[in-house]
Amino acid sequence: MSSLDDLYQQVILDHAREKHGFGLRDGSAASSHQMNPTCGDELTLQVHLSADGQTIDSLSWEGAGCSISMASASLLSDLAAGMPVTDAPARIALFRELMRSKGAGVDDDEPLGDAAVLEGVSRYIARVKCAMLAWVALEDSLAGLR
């Protein structure tokens, strides 16, 4: 394993332990509960918007599951804070493309921020749903806003 792979693995483990955005809060604009029946990962995600409703102020979430699903939710929580609501669907689509890449990556993963460290997960088809869980919950939440 390369030193870059080691670093990526460490970031994933750090986010799985220190879950950013963890803990549901009052005042959400939308929420979604998602479950991965294959492995039992489960997550509820809430979207908190700015006063004008144009920006994701923060995400809050609770769940239980593997390190990948918990780290992915934590990384998404960091990425989404301050993001215009209109940008979120493109970021979700880019992350989905990354997860379907089977380790090949995407042309430009910069819009994914630190969540790009999950690229290695795409080589393990059984783990892709774990990484996607929070992203699908955000997608579902945003659909509920429309």
Side-chain angles (χ1 to χ4, degrees), residues 16-141:
R17 275 192 301 272
E18 299 294 326
K19 301 173 183 112
H20 301 181
F22 190 82
L24 299 177
R25 301 187 330 260
D26 291 336
S28 67
S31 68
S32 177
H33 180 80
Q34 299 292 318
M35 187 171 173
N36 181 351
T38 306
C39 65
D41 291 356
E42 196 166 350
L43 180 131
T44 299
L45 181 136
Q46 296 176 324
V47 178
H48 303 270
L49 298 178
S50 60
D52 66 5
Q54 301 300 305
T55 304
I56 297 173
D57 185 50
S58 64
L59 300 180
S60 60
W61 61 277
E62 282 187 355
C66 68
S67 294
I68 292 170
S69 65
M70 299 295 99
S72 186
S74 178
L75 288 159
L76 176 59
S77 182
D78 286 350
L79 179 67
M83 179 188 301
V85 172
T86 56
D87 289 358
R91 304 276 177 100
I92 294 166
L94 182 60
F95 188 76
R96 183 173 279 123
E97 181 183 345
L98 180 70
M99 288 298 104
R100 291 179 176 164
S101 76
K102 298 182 180 171
V106 293
D107 289 337
D108 181 14
D109 63 9
E110 189 173 329
L112 296 175
D114 289 346
V117 301
L118 293 164
E119 177 185 325
V121 172
S122 70
R123 289 180 282 213
Y124 307 99
I125 218 73
R127 305 313 301 266
V128 167
K129 286 184 179 181
C130 301
M132 284 296 306
L133 193 63
W135 298 75
V136 169
L138 176 58
E139 185 174 51
D140 185 53
S141 294

